[in-house]
Amino acid sequence: MSERPDAPSVISLLVSLLSISLMSVLFGRKTSGTSMANINYARGLVISLYVVSWLFTTIAAVLTSTNTGNIMSCTLSIFVCLSLYAASKIIIYLFLIEKVYVVSSVTTTRKDTMLYRFNILLLTPYTVILVLMILNHVAVLDENDQCFIGLKPLASIVLILYDIFISCWLTVLFIRPLMSSTSVLQGPSKGKLRQVARRTLIGSVIALILSSGNVFTLVYYRGYEDSVLCLLSCTLDVTLNACTVHWVTSRGSRNNTTTDKASRGITNQNTNQINGTLTEKQVAPTDTHISVTVESYMEH
């Protein structure tokens, strides 16, 4: 039985360890000084993404060092990629859908917003695609006991087409209000709302590029990719996506935020709402309402 060259495994393990540390830091920053009662839906999605990314990178590090000559570890590698990677993508899509709701709907709740419900409906095909990926997975050992994993062409092509479609659709939904002269983003008092839209637009484009590159790799190798390289590319994908989401939800400056709050005359009661009690938009299309709502999605 031949040994796998050390370099790819060492690089993959180092990347996994760095990703684990980075996810731990981001998780700590997002939850520092925050109680469970103060975690709203948007922040909950971000924290869930950190947890899923941390789990993926941790398990990937273990599997990278054990799947040579081990068919069980080799098979687990592809199923971990399918389950946790798919979970991270669903969370990112839910996050982007939530941001679309924030920048496009002011006077309605989520359940009463047709666009929000339609976007959620667009996620349902992912369950079918996940089943298709499970049925068309590849996990084999070659004559040198080296593990190769991936997806057969049918599953990988369907996955990449779906990823491109939904990412492009969500990207358009951010471009439209930014360019429209009649959208809720327009006006001198809507700077914070425009900032949310611009940052999330950039995040959506980055997510599209990362996922497309990752799945194109599967297509290139025709479903038989070295497990170390596959786990490495997926680790980089989920880590960079998590970092992008963290940037999207981070404020530029604590001082600027304080100044903005003072200029808008937000009361202590409104500030308490920002810290956790505001989970749904109220039917009140005023500038103060919009500012308070957006503040709940732009976190330190």
Side-chain angles (χ1 to χ4, degrees), residues 34 40 77 95 98 127 147 149 162 171 177 184 187 221 226 249 287 292:
T34 302
N40 57 22
S77 296
F95 173 80
E98 178 69 8
T127 56
C147 175
I149 61 176
Y162 176 80
T171 300
V184 297
Y221 285 103
D226 187 331
T249 58
D287 290 346
V292 173

Side-chain angles (χ1 to χ4, degrees), residues 4-282:
R4 178 193 299 280
D6 288 337
S9 297
V10 170
I11 293 174
S12 182
L13 285 171
L14 286 176
V15 170
S16 294
L17 291 174
L18 288 173
S19 298
I20 292 168
S21 301
L22 183 57
M23 289 303 100
S24 300
V25 170
L26 296 185
F27 179 86
R29 286 179 62 87
K30 193 65 66 177
T31 58
S32 177
T34 302
S35 65
M36 290 297 295
N38 292 334
I39 297 178
N40 57 22
Y41 175 65
R43 179 173 290 194
L45 288 175
V46 177
I47 293 173
S48 298
L49 181 61
Y50 296 155
V51 172
V52 170
S53 300
W54 184 89
L55 282 174
F56 179 86
T57 52
T58 301
I59 297 175
V62 174
L63 293 175
T64 296
S65 59
T66 60
N67 60 17
T68 300
N70 186 336
I71 187 60
M72 180 176 294
S73 180
C74 184
T75 304
L76 283 175
S77 296
I78 184 61
F79 281 108
V80 166
C81 279
L82 292 181
S83 57
L84 293 180
Y85 181 77
S88 71
K89 298 303 293 183
I90 290 293
I91 293 172
I92 290 172
Y93 290 144
L94 288 172
F95 173 80
L96 293 176
I97 290 172
E98 178 69 8
K99 290 293 185 176
V100 169
Y101 163 71
V102 170
V103 302
S104 61
S105 303
V106 177
T107 62
T108 58
T109 59
R110 295 179 186 88
K111 65 179 181 179
D112 295 325
T113 304
M114 183 62 69
L115 180 60
Y116 183 85
R117 289 187 292 175
F118 176 74
N119 287 336
I120 292 296
L121 186 63
L122 285 180
L123 294 183
T124 54
Y126 209 95
T127 56
V128 178
I129 294 174
L130 182 58
V131 172
L132 189 63
M133 290 191 294
I134 292 173
L135 294 177
N136 290 271
H137 76 276
V138 174
V140 296
L141 297 176
D142 66 1
E143 63 276 6
N144 297 319
D145 285 335
Q146 186 169 329
C147 175
F148 286 84
I149 61 176
L151 296 173
K152 294 178 182 178
L154 174 63
S156 58
I157 291 173
V158 171
L159 176 61
I160 194 171
L161 289 177
Y162 176 80
D163 271 346
I164 291 175
F165 164 73
I166 194 166
S167 296
C168 288
W169 166 250
L170 293 172
T171 300
V172 168
L173 293 181
F174 287 110
I175 294 176
R176 186 181 62 176
L178 281 171
M179 298 185 65
S180 173
S181 59
T182 59
S183 76
V184 297
L185 301 185
Q186 306 307 318
S189 63
K190 311 296 173 45
K192 181 68 74 173
L193 203 58
R194 286 194 296 273
Q195 182 186 1
V196 172
R198 290 193 189 100
R199 283 196 174 202
T200 314
L201 172 61
I202 296 172
S204 179
V205 172
I206 293 175
L208 173 61
I209 294 172
L210 290 174
S211 2
S212 298
N214 198 18
V215 182
F216 269 125
T217 303
L218 288 176
V219 175
Y220 176 78
Y221 285 103
R222 297 182 179 180
Y224 291 86
E225 185 178 3
D226 187 331
S227 61
V228 169
L229 295 179
C230 185
L231 291 171
L232 173 60
S233 62
C234 288
T235 297
L236 289 173
D237 189 343
V238 298
T239 301
L240 292 175
N241 270 314
C243 291
T244 301
V245 169
H246 181 81
W247 172 76
V248 168
T249 58
S250 299
R251 293 169 179 166
S253 170
R254 194 177 289 264
N255 291 333
N256 289 342
T257 301
T258 303
T259 302
D260 290 342
K261 287 182 180 180
S263 64
R264 287 192 298 264
I266 297 178
T267 63
N268 290 333
Q269 180 180 359
N270 285 338
T271 303
N272 290 334
Q273 286 182 313
I274 294 172
N275 290 334
T277 58
L278 182 60
T279 56
E280 289 285 346
K281 295 182 180 180
Q282 300 171 2

